Amino acid sequence: MRKRLLGKTGLMVSEVGFGGIPIQRVDAPTVKTILMECLRREVTFLDTARGYTTSEEMIGAAIEGHRDSFVLATKTMAKSYEDMKRDIGISLINLRTSHIELYQAHFVRNQEAYDALIQQGGYEAMLEAKREGLIGHIGITSHDHKLLEKIIEDGRFETIQFPYNLVEHQGERLFQRAHELGMGIIVMKPLAGGAISNGPLSLKYILNNPHVSVAIPGMDSPEQVSENAAMGSAELNYTEEDLKNMEVVRQEMGEHFCRRCGYCLPCPQGLDIPTLFLMEGYLKRYGLKDWAQARYGSMEIKAADCVECGICESRCPYDLPIRNMLKKVDESFK
């Protein structure tokens, strides 16, 4: 497995890492088998989150006795000082460790959320935990590349995590600038949330970007670990067949896949359109029914609130039938 530098953190990480969302749907013995396959395949970067129900706890139990072989990354949506401090403590207990290499502000969706993180003391709590040696480095994740393009100039964070794959490449300018600033770049949704079936091809595309530090496909079987890890030592030059298959994937997904570019926003009714489609993906492609329904249920404005004005469709650079897609989201969660 090749390794890459995670920016100014100084950490060397496997260029294919492990995304901890899908293990919510398997049992602890299976997670143990998966993580031992990661160890065998030298997949050393593990990413999870406080919001992934049992993911932290199962990872912590699975790697006990092998803790020093892994770089742990987790995250929280906490914004206040008290909530952030509490969540860091819970993560340490769940992961059965005295320190976490990377702690990230999770799913910072807009400027308001970012301002809350800074003004309510969440970021200060992260700095405090870093000074105390509880966390090693501080990162941020978001699905909004325009927001991250502004945030990275503040110099507060050492890493960013953002979607990137064969059909979602709106983050390339962001990655270039983050790289110039010495930041580590973590690629989430490398298979577009399970929408891309050819995992090796999408990983090859991602790893051809020299600014990327690590890609973290979600995996819930040792077989998936084996297949994805192989790309960490495979030849990355494109074949003619690769180029042809890439175009096929883009054509197939072009009519119905939201790239979360955000150009459809703001919606006059207040719908967070990209996040609504993201929740549907968790429901249908990740198979996380209860988790997705809980998160969707907590959203104040849902797909059913669409009045079909069509403004979003006039802005979409991919000509997606957003109104019809929102109807399907509404139907999916009924």
Side-chain angles (χ1 to χ4, degrees), residues 112-331:
E112 182 181 6
Y114 179 62
D115 291 343
L117 176 70
I118 304 304
Q119 296 168 8
Q120 295 178 22
Y123 179 73
E124 179 56 39
M126 297 172 92
L127 288 177
E128 183 178 289
K130 183 177 180 180
R131 289 193 295 268
E132 294 172 350
L134 301 178
I135 62 177
H137 307 279
I138 300 172
I140 187 168
T141 87
S142 179
H143 291 79
D144 187 334
H145 67 99
K146 295 178 183 177
L147 177 65
L148 282 180
E149 284 170 6
K150 292 191 294 183
I151 288 175
I152 62 174
E153 301 297 336
D154 292 346
R156 290 187 170 103
F157 301 94
E158 297 167 87
T159 66
I160 57 170
Q161 187 175 141
F162 188 77
Y164 183 59
N165 52 61
L166 283 170
V167 293
E168 294 181 275
H169 30 78
Q170 63 271 18
E172 289 187 342
R173 186 177 70 174
L174 166 68
F175 289 176
Q176 181 175 346
R177 179 56 180 157
H179 180 75
E180 291 170 356
L181 293 171
M183 302 181 75
I185 297 162
I186 303 163
V187 169
M188 62 169 147
K189 304 291 185 291
L191 308 186
I196 297 174
S197 59
N198 192 334
L201 181 62
S202 194
L203 285 172
K204 178 183 280 192
Y205 172 81
I206 293 163
L207 297 177
N208 262 289
N209 187 323
H211 302 139
V212 168
S213 304
V214 55
I216 51 169
M219 297 179 269
D220 64 3
S221 73
E223 291 76 22
Q224 289 176 358
V225 173
S226 179
E227 179 181 62
N228 291 329
M231 294 310 300
S233 57
E235 173 60 55
L236 295 180
N237 290 331
Y238 296 131
T239 65
E240 287 295 325
E241 185 177 4
D242 287 337
L243 296 173
K244 185 184 301 182
N245 288 336
M246 285 181 192
E247 190 55 33
V248 169
V249 171
R250 289 170 180 145
Q251 290 295 326
E252 288 179 345
M253 295 179 64
E255 295 181 1
H256 56 83
F257 184 75
C258 173
R259 275 79 167 174
R260 297 184 283 272
C261 66
Y263 289 118
C264 58
L265 303 176
C267 165
Q269 303 305 313
L271 277 74
D272 185 345
I273 297 169
T275 300
L276 290 167
F277 293 144
L278 181 65
M279 293 302 105
E280 183 189 33
Y282 285 136
L283 179 75
K284 290 186 172 180
R285 295 192 295 272
Y286 275 90
L288 299 172
K289 182 179 178 181
D290 292 342
W291 186 71
Q293 287 180 331
R295 295 190 72 177
Y296 182 79
S298 69
M299 298 178 71
E300 293 183 10
I301 303 173
K302 299 179 174 61
D305 295 311
C306 172
V307 298
E308 299 189 53
C309 67
I311 293 175
C312 55
E313 293 184 6
S314 69
R315 297 171 178 160
C316 178
Y318 302 101
D319 297 320
L320 297 179
I322 295 175
R323 287 173 288 185
N324 285 334
M325 291 168 66
L326 286 170
K327 288 179 182 178
K328 291 179 180 179
V329 173
D330 180 45
E331 292 168 2

